[in-house]
């Protein structure tokens, strides 16, 4: 993936490594927006309305994360791939193991498991980016703070 | 795909037909949100800023369409599938044939072609839904009005 | 119920039929606002606050529907009757069979049953209006879309 | 009407008396919202638009009064009855003696007469509540201030 | 009037017919905005301020109708003509028969007569468009609902 | 009335003349706010609500004029006198010749007469200020434009 | 001062007493708005801007108090007198003993003294109104709470 | 064109001259709103979206100018003529020499030429009004400042 | 606790008694804000999100109550003590008997018990203040209305 | 203090250390909100209003910091203690050494001293958290930036 | 400085004179924004917060003045020079004679002196522009009104 | 440049180094605001309006950066120098090498070159600040993220 240019102070080799890490994060952030909406539409049970409404602000949050990640890739001279095929192709994690109408508890447990992978991947990216570009690392650090807080919301329902 | 219930006035058989039509529209609406964002990040050239900013309100519009379509499926007793795998699996259309940084003109032409398929599929769905459920047909009719207007915006750049 | 005038393109006979249909819808829309508020005040149990708050936007929605229906009656030259006595007199449906403080589940089930009648009556009105006045039919079609979606919300709590 | 609990500092006997007074006020406040809307839709004549628009904020005001009254009943351990049947059953006052399209002057005079009863009933309730619960009395006192001001608006049209 | 392109699913012949119908509606919508403002400035008499203010939201409404109609023409590949000369040239209706300062009652009666033609033309257009393009028909149907409601406002002043 | 300082480019003698003119305008602007409110509270008759509501924005307007005039006096080094006694003492005009509850028409005619004096005094002040300070003249010019427009509103009610 | 009508539940004799008390409060509330603005324009010294800006919200507050008091008088069937002459004629208190540009401290002390009289008169009115009409008493009680809080603001500057 | 009244300080003869000048400006301001919208709908080419969007605020601006001009005519006792026929009849200028879909550059050049006439006519009106009524002159002066700025926007595209 | 001054109409002895009562209320209002937040952070179980979010508006409400109470103390010449040590020292009630993560039901029951004491103390303060200062009594009466309503919310979850 | 769970990527031992550090910060942030309000109510002197108003936004800021810190503790599996007793028990710093009404200068100096300890403790926490969890460190770093800026505001008053 | 074009009605020679005058005003307006911010950051003393906050709206005001002046230059065919070097090169006035942290009084006196020059230069420009272009003169006249009012604010602090 | 005080935890020597670095960043941020506005006023050509409007949000962004940087200097005990002379004196970079009206492409290329220096200087400052004060480093890191994103916008126009 040849770059069009580099930002002042970064070499081409370093920039390519950063772009590769960010592309993986972009795909998972885009997938997260889809699976959260999927849960939003399919949950059911006595807590339906509360859980249904709790999910929408998180969808907005991860869509904004994807936008920030993709624009950072372009800023660094790379080309972000945001098609659904890229999400499937780049998936190095398990994904959401739940289909159809299910109880709020089942979807909450499935999302907790999904976020375990999501956060672990983001924290691994931070560790690598810290050696390459502090600005890109800052971006993912802010994402993790949000994701971990939402995971607490999820966990509090099944404690 | 067994239904959980039906709305007053519709049979189970009719409801299943409606749900199948709407699921196809849901997948394309979700894909459209992804490919529009993809173009938003990858366009370049002298008209960059105007095209970049013109796309974002349309992303918001098709995300709202997807939400309305999916909630209609649940309203009818079906279970909407909003995962990225569903988008790829349900794709009976060509998709966006363009990758990486390209000129604004190239992305505009690619989006016009994508919208040709998108609108044709929606119009076909309207024709079928008119026989099954006027409320569901109304929903897709409103979507087409928006999609055709955005296609005019695109066409005016290359006229 | 003599009309004061008719809108251009409609005969007096047709107008009277439309007004009669709309008056029935008006009374049920006004009643729905009252019984939804009634449930809002009397639900109790572990899901109290979520169900209590879910009902208020729907009250606002059916009040707006009643206003639109009544103003359509006046537009057609008729006189809408919005007194509580008219609601009781026009009631050709069962009504809400629940009194006093009850669990959220009991009220949700009672409202689902109430909406079964409400939606069935509205869909019947649409079928009749389609032969008489497309504008009036459009108004009730929009109402049904909203009512069916709220019924899904209710159903998801007891699935 | 057995109470579920009492607020700290009030006996069960006193609470029951308060609830009975407030239930009467609730029914009239709900009726007022209906008859004001009824007038809103049926007035006609040279001052139509001004009178039509003057009524809507008052509808909003009495709907808010009903909500406050009903929630006070629940707060005191009682169960508010907000169905249309309760309005008709609890009616110890004359009601609005006017039907169909009428001149703005006729509706204004009818509403002035209706408010005479409404305010007199509220002032009587205040006198009784002052002996039982100052908080409940405060609530109805605020309602009277609003009702008397709106009656002045009405009176100024026919002075 | 040759078209630049057609939307997916419509033939060129059909599109031209739709455009011709919409151009007539566009001219009358633009004229309506002018004559309403004209009345806004020239009414006088005891109800001056109420009638003066009632007209402005309707001006906004018909300007938005004209914008929607014109953009639909462009969407269909046509070229909307929005010059004052087009209004005069396309006028197949009577127009407003009133000049200078006049009483509110005179202007209201003149506008009611104008709206009789306006609505009748729109309803005729709906009937023709239903055979050609449901999306375009929907647009004018929404316009009629608004126009008929405003005509009711006007009529209520002289009932 | 000794000045504390003068603005650059104006002599002390000129500044004192400007301040004297502006103090007269300040007193009448403050009085106008009071008499408009007085009318707002005392009008009655069939057009009550429309006239009652038409007056409040004009009160806001003349209060803002008074603030602008007084701050201009301070800017020029003078001391504005805003007490009720100053209004009475500075009154070189007739004032509002109407007391108590009166019909909307009577108050409108009284306000038209009051504005005749008010505008004539402001126009005389503009003529004098043009020779002394263009900035102060501009301020009163803007006030006249507003006052004359409101007088048209008043006049249109009795034309 | 003959009344036009009385509110339900009050005699004419009692109503006249209430109106007389409220008219005195109206005049002082209107005067307070004028003298506060006067101070707003004439203070000077190191704390100018803070004191200048602290006064404006209080002007808004007492103007709203005057409006509420005057509309209560009309509500009770009386005619509020809001002319500057009424302020001077009704003045049974000292008034503000300060003219021209003065230090912030001098104006603050003068306003504290003015508020001593203002609050004492309002508290005396409350004691009298408590025997006549609880609604009117409530109105002035709310005014006193605001006035006493603003007096604390003033006092804190000179402690 | 006989006047109904004159504002204080102006003779009838002078007022008629002002009204005649303002009527010409009103017609051109109304026409400008139409031709700007016309361009808004018919431009095409690579800069489509930027030019399309740049025009709408200017439409709002000239509509507000027309409203101000027409209300000034009424203020002066005249009757503004706002019908489309008046625009055509009063046209003493060239008008926009362009029809149908054209490039953004062609429409921009046509609008620059149109504004040359528009501004020149406004400046001529200012010169005449300066002798007649400074308030009316100020109104047109403010219009010219806006028009010249927009013309700069247009010119910068073709410089 | 010597006072700095007294408000017009209250003696020093009375003022000191009022201040002592209000200081106790201030401490409990500040404590309530802390323990509500404590529950907000520590609740868990299937109703987590609904209960978590229900608490925040009540925190805002009691913080505003504390501000109003403390500013009333200063208004009366006293010095409010708002340190954490004052809360502990002034505590004449039991406090919240619950620590750590617990179920929503456990926290709701603990808060109901806490509000029993809180409301009883406030009602006792009202009885005492009624003899001393009606303005201060009004303030606490408004607080009780809010507290009792929130206790109903709590109770409805465990009914 | 046993944890309920740990976030992905942190051990239980590390998590407990982080929670202990954050609990100390939470208690001081909650105390700061209390002592700032205490100063807000008790300052007096010529700069009263400016200092009184400058404090409120900082109260809002430290309340938001406490919320963020407590929710981070819960996110990490710990249980935040937010009771007033916890503030007193956890206090390892001096606290605010000032009581009762005092001059603005005295309170400003006392707050500067309080912030010296506050900031020093926060910077010490950052140093320790940098070794344990970058996300938690980021949170306190943002808090310090805000606290140091407010301390500059305080210092500038006594420079 | 050759011009690109001239506005209708102005010669090239006159236009160049206007541009030269406006360029001088632009440079001082840009400098004023910088020196006001400089004072905003460097003031200190007991009135810190009030003076600090009073300056920010004036910065916004002079930045808007600079924008208006520069766009007028472009409108007239000239090229505005907005670089820092232009400010230094065009400086024909003294500038702000104060550096580093200083008391609020010192900065206020320095700003008063700066504004003496600033206003005098603007008034001189107005006199010259009156002979050349009334529109440009109006622009600077509006600026002077704002500047003189802010100077009054400053002066009132040291009167 | 002697400091007035230091923040808790930093020595005077370290603080002076930080202040020197931040002063350089402040001057360039202030200059950037000026040269961006300069480009905003002087660009011309077919993409004029889009580029003209793209620049303004960036001006707002760098003005906010300058404010944050300057207030950090004051927070650390230093005195920020914000005069135009400081910008010229502190300039250790090339600056914008372009004057007068130029094409959008030329200004975009000049701004890309300017941002190369700007970003490189900011990244160098981050590296130095990381050793001195993490809070100050955080501030500049956030600035770089914004600057690099805007540079991508610029680059996309010339790719």
């Amino acid at each position: 993936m040849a770059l069009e240019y580099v930002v002042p102070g970064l070499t081409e080799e370093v920039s390519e490594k950063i772009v590769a890490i960010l592309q993986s994060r972009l795909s998972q952030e885009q997938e997260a927006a889809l699976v959260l909406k999927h849960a939003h539409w399919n949950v059911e049970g006595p807590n339906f309305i509360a859980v249904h409404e709790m999910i929408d602000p998180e969808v907005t949050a991860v869509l904004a994360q994807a936008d920030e990640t993709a624009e950072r890739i372009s800023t660094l001279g790379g080309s972000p791939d945001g098609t659904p095929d890229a999400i499937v192709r780049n998936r190095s994690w398990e994904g959401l193991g739940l289909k159809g109408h299910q109880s709020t508890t089942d979807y909450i447990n499935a999302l907790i498991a999904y976020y375990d992978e999501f956060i672990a991947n983001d924290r691994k990216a931070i560790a690598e980016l810290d050696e390459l570009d502090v600005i890109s690392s800052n971006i993912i650090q802010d994402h993790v703070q949000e994701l971990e807080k939402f995971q607490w919301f999820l966990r509090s329902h099944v404690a």
Side-chain angles (χ1 to χ4, degrees), chain A:
Chain A
M1 182 163 32
L3 303 179
E4 288 208 316
Y5 47 76
V6 295
V7 302
L10 293 185
T11 65
E12 184 141 359
E13 187 192 351
V14 162
S15 297
E16 281 174 0
K17 285 183 189 163
I18 303 167
V19 164
I21 296 166
L22 293 176
Q23 175 64 52
S24 163
R25 295 305 78 220
L26 170 59
S27 289
Q28 188 158 19
E29 286 158 357
Q30 289 187 300
E31 187 192 49
L34 291 167
V35 301
L36 285 162
K37 264 294 185 195
H38 180 84
H40 173 76
W41 297 323
N42 282 291
V43 288
E44 65 190 18
N47 294 305
F48 165 74
I49 193 67
V51 174
H52 178 78
E53 291 183 351
M54 177 181 73
I55 291 172
D56 251 358
E58 184 70 6
V59 173
T60 304
V62 294
L63 282 173
Q65 290 180 8
D67 204 48
E68 193 177 31
T69 303
E71 300 202 347
R72 183 70 192 160
I73 291 173
S74 278
T75 296
L76 294 168
S79 162
D81 191 344
T83 57
D85 308 82
I87 299 174
V88 174
R89 188 175 59 247
N90 290 331
R91 190 154 52 201
S92 58
W93 51 88
E94 277 292 321
L96 189 80
L98 205 62
K99 283 298 192 82
H101 284 301
Q102 307 292 345
S103 73
T104 51
T105 306
D106 286 352
Y107 266 108
I108 285 172
N109 279 321
L111 287 170
I112 289 171
Y114 186 85
Y115 267 63
D116 271 344
E117 287 184 300
F118 194 0
I119 292 165
N121 289 342
D122 266 16
R123 279 192 174 261
K124 185 154 157 293
I126 291 168
E128 293 167 5
L129 290 168
D130 273 345
E131 305 303 312
L132 301 167
D133 176 34
V134 66
I135 308 301
S136 298
S137 176
N138 283 347
I139 289 170
I140 305 299
Q141 285 176 41
D142 286 350
H143 296 184
V144 167
Q145 182 174 347
E146 167 61 30
L147 298 179
E148 290 183 353
K149 183 177 165 187
F150 185 67
Q151 200 188 28
W152 162 51
F153 275 30
L154 293 170
R155 277 168 162 160
S156 291
H157 284 83
V158 293

